[in-house]
Every structure is written in structure tokens, then in C-alpha cells.
Amino acid sequence: MLADRLPEDWKRELRTVLASPSFLELERFVAEERESATVFPSEEDLFAAFRLTPYQDVKVLLLGQDPYHGPGQAHGLAFSVQPGVPPPPSLVNIFKELESDLKLPRPKDGSLIPWAKQGVLLLNAVLTVRQAEPNSHAGHGWEDFTDEVIRAVSAKSEPVVFLLWGRYAQKKKKLIDAKRHVVLEGTHPSPLSASNGFFGSQPFSKVNKALRDKGREPVDWRLPA
């Protein structure tokens, strides 16, 4: 069962959606897909974002849409690829902006695990995908689950910074209590849109300023170079 792999702290926060007909149907769908096709990420990595970023530690939520659909890429963290895997185009653009914004050296690979361990929840709206078929698992129940994740983070008493890149992510703004938390919206880093507002947007320094303004520790965005 999918829920068996979710850490206990997150299970408590998400118990209502985990017991819903939508989630039970999702479990059946993903099990059938894994039997008939290659599905990413692996079962072991499915809930990596939740394992690396406990509920009580979340201070930033960065929302992606769909896992990478190439072999060896997706490992349960939005925008991140497994250590040693070359960064895909969107992640290359993220690293370009990181370098420009904070004058940090370009990372040697595409793993964002150090961010996750500091309280940056790297959440995709859909958590699985068929190999070579982007968005193939959209509309099968993951959105109900991850919407509830966003609501649960919004319910935290400590202020959180929500980073929403692109129109898809920005539609989730309605799930967030913007009076208590900070919502930063921006252009998606994909090659199709990065030059239309992502480059030069300084999202990393803006997140850290928002955290400091709320009395929280900033994120150390450095990655192994």
C-alpha cells in the first residue's frame, strides 16, 4: 500500500485524505501501472520529500508539477535528480539563477537533497509518471493528495514561504492562508518560459528575506560544486 511508505508524522497530518475513496483508487491505479509499465520514481523513493523534510521542519514549500520521466532521474523530490545524474533543462536554469542571485558556484550534479534536509519541501503535484510519458499519471488522484499536503502545511502555526513557479503552481494559491504565510509567485524555470521572467527574479534571496522577516532561519542554498 502506498500509505505504508509515508512517514508517521505526515500520516497523522494526512489521515483524512489517506482514508478517502480517491486515495484508495489511486493506490490501485499506481499498483496496476507498476505491473504493466515502467513507473518513476521507484516505490522506495516515492515519498522521499516527506522522509527528508519532516512536517514540523517545513519552512519552504517549492511546488513542481510532474516527476521527470527519463530513466534514473526522478527520486521523489520536485526539480531534483539523483546524485550523479546530469541536470535537466529546468534544473539547469534554476542553477543559473542560483548563481546569478546568490553568486554561488554551479553545482556538480542535480541533487537537491541538501535543500530538503533544511526544511524545503520539494513537492510535485503528481508523484508518479510512466517512463517517457509526461503527465501520464495526472488526474488519477495524486492532486487530491498533494492539495491536502499544501493545506496541511498552510495549517502550521509557524510561518512558511510558498514558492509557486508558473501558472499551474499558482492555481494552488487558494489552498494557502496568505495572511499567515508568504506566497512568492514567479515564472517557471522551463526553457519555454525562463527568459520571460524567471531569470533575474532572485527567488532564493527573496525566500531568505521572507524567512528572516518572519523570524526564521534562512536556507543555505549552497550545493556541492
Side-chain angles (χ1 to χ4, degrees), residues 37-116:
T38 300
V39 172
F40 300 130
S42 67
E43 287 187 31
E44 182 180 308
D45 285 335
L46 177 62
F47 291 127
F50 302 90
R51 189 171 63 247
L52 290 166
T53 312
Y55 178 75
Q56 66 177 18
D57 293 348
V58 178
K59 59 185 179 184
V60 178
L61 190 156
L62 174 55
L63 185 64
Q65 186 168 352
D66 196 45
Y68 295 121
H69 52 84
Q73 293 181 315
H75 65 133
L77 304 178
F79 295 105
S80 180
V81 291
Q82 299 194 60
V85 175
S90 288
L91 189 52
V92 169
N93 288 338
I94 289 171
F95 288 162
K96 286 179 181 177
E97 182 58 22
L98 182 67
E99 188 176 24
S100 169
D101 184 6
L102 299 179
K103 307 300 183 280
L104 295 176
R106 194 76 57 91
K108 65 177 171 55
D109 64 29
S111 172
L112 305 181
I113 288 173
W115 294 358

Side-chain angles (χ1 to χ4, degrees), residues 60-65 79 120-121 123-125 146-147 150-151 153-154 160-178 181-189 193 197-198 201 203 206-207 221:
V60 178
L61 190 156
L62 174 55
L63 185 64
Q65 186 168 352
F79 295 105
V120 181
L121 182 63
L123 179 69
N124 276 318
T146 54
D147 280 0
I150 295 169
R151 290 190 190 97
V153 173
S154 180
V160 173
V161 179
F162 291 82
L163 193 51
L164 307 179
W165 286 336
R167 285 191 297 272
Y168 181 87
Q170 288 159 16
K171 289 177 182 176
K172 306 295 184 179
K173 186 177 179 179
K174 63 182 184 291
L175 306 174
I176 303 163
D177 182 354
H181 303 293
V182 177
V183 179
L184 297 177
E185 301 177 68
T187 305
H188 196 276
S193 56
F198 179 75
S201 62
K206 286 177 180 175
V207 167
W221 296 104

